[in-house]
């Protein structure tokens, strides 16, 4: 089984919205073969809590405005370190860069096929490492530490 056209449409728009708000390392996985609860995961990160919230707000607004989609659940708002938007067809994870490295969701889902994303979203790959270098954070083997 593969992700539905609706799921791909949601992921694509959410990825573009995240890229427009300068999210880092945007990637999406088709998890429909291994999970029955959703078709796709979208992962994105940002270097601070305020930007995490801004990215989530933009994704939520754009999916509602352009596709009429509203999340059935939104979790993690209080700390804004890892906010999850559950749209049933897709689940969006926007994490603070530190949480992204610590929880390493990519490692869990690396065997699932990646979903093609808009060019703006693909260009965000490696931005967390670049940001870390510019701000003096330590980077080891391509991951923040």
């Amino acid at each position: 089984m593969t992700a539905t056209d609706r799921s791909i449409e949601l992921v694509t728009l959410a990825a573009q919205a995240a890229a427009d708000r300068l999210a880092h390392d945007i990637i999406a996985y088709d998890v429909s073969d291994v999970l029955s609860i959703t078709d796709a995961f979208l992962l994105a990160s940002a270097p601070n809590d305020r930007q995490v919230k801004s990215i989530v707000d933009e994704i939520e607004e754009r999916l509602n405005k352009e596709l009429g989609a509203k999340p059935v659940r939104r979790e993690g708002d209080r700390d804004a370190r890892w906010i999850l938007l559950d749209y049933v067809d897709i689940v969006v994870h926007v994490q603070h860069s530190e949480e992204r490295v610590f929880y390493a969701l990519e490692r869990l889902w690396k065997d699932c096929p990646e979903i093609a994303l808009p060019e703006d979203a693909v260009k965000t790959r490696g931005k967390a490492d670049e940001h870390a270098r510019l701000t003096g954070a330590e980077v080891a083997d391509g991951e923040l530490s």
Side-chain angles (χ1 to χ4, degrees):
M1 190 167 157
T2 60
T4 64
D5 290 342
R6 174 69 173 173
S7 298
I8 300 298
E9 182 180 36
L10 290 166
V11 162
T12 301
L13 184 57
Q16 184 61 57
D20 291 347
R21 286 286 185 221
L22 307 177
H24 296 169
D25 300 310
I26 302 168
I27 192 165
Y29 294 102
D30 180 338
V31 296
S32 60
D33 281 340
V34 293
L35 291 177
S36 61
I37 58 171
T38 193
D39 282 349
F41 280 163
L42 178 71
L43 311 175
S45 55
N48 61 63
D49 302 352
R50 181 178 287 173
Q51 192 174 357
V52 167
K53 186 142 177 49
S54 175
I55 292 164
V56 168
D57 289 345
E58 181 69 12
I59 291 169
E60 194 169 9
E61 182 179 324
R62 295 266 294 275
L63 290 182
N64 186 21
K65 183 178 178 183
E66 296 180 32
L67 299 176
K70 293 182 180 181
V72 295
R73 187 172 65 230
R74 179 175 172 154
E75 295 182 8
D77 271 330
R78 187 181 335 175
D79 296 330
R81 301 285 294 179
W82 180 352
I83 299 177
L84 179 142
L85 295 173
D86 183 351
Y87 286 90
V88 179
D89 293 326
I90 70 167
V91 176
V92 177
H93 300 267
V94 182
Q95 299 173 297
H96 188 287
S97 298
E98 293 169 358
E99 269 67 16
R100 178 87 179 255
V101 170
F102 183 80
Y103 289 101
L105 295 179
E106 291 91 340
R107 289 186 192 151
L108 292 174
W109 306 109
K110 68 182 178 187
D111 294 333
C112 295
E114 278 188 44
I115 297 173
L117 296 177
E119 186 177 337
D120 290 344
V122 173
K123 287 179 182 177
T124 67
R125 307 246 175 106
K127 292 289 185 184
D129 290 345
E130 180 182 326
H131 179 78
R133 280 190 257 294
L134 291 173
T135 60
E138 289 187 33
V139 178
D141 298 328
E143 295 182 356
L144 290 173
S145 57

